[in-house]
Amino acid sequence: ESDLTIAGPAGGSCLARTFPSLFPMFPLDRIYYKNLELVRAGVPCGIGRRGLSDHLPVMAEFRIDR
């Protein structure tokens, strides 16, 4: 069992649909993290991002405690 966590929308483990980018149907892309606090994660909206790749980008923001 891994001690990594998957970054999902709204801080959950639910995965956003990222493939294919023109009509996303499958949650293929993930960000795994460890020892960080997830602030937010998701797939950016907007037609300008479509067509750059066959996958939509997955973005995450983390907080690092020092």
Side-chain angles (χ1 to χ4, degrees), residues 20-45:
S21 63
L22 294 178
F23 187 71
M25 296 186 302
F26 304 105
L28 299 183
D29 303 285
R30 295 156 174 76
I31 297 175
Y32 293 92
Y33 67 97
K34 178 179 173 181
N35 299 327
L36 298 169
E37 180 184 345
L38 179 64
V39 175
R40 71 181 125 226
V43 174
C45 297

Side-chain angles (χ1 to χ4, degrees), residues 1 3 5 7 10 12 15 20 22 25 35 38 40 43-44 50 52 54-55 58 60-61:
E1 183 174 317
D3 58 348
T5 303
L15 298 174
L22 294 178
M25 296 186 302
N35 299 327
L38 179 64
R40 71 181 125 226
V43 174
R50 296 175 192 264
L52 297 176
D54 58 345
H55 293 253
V58 178
E61 180 180 344

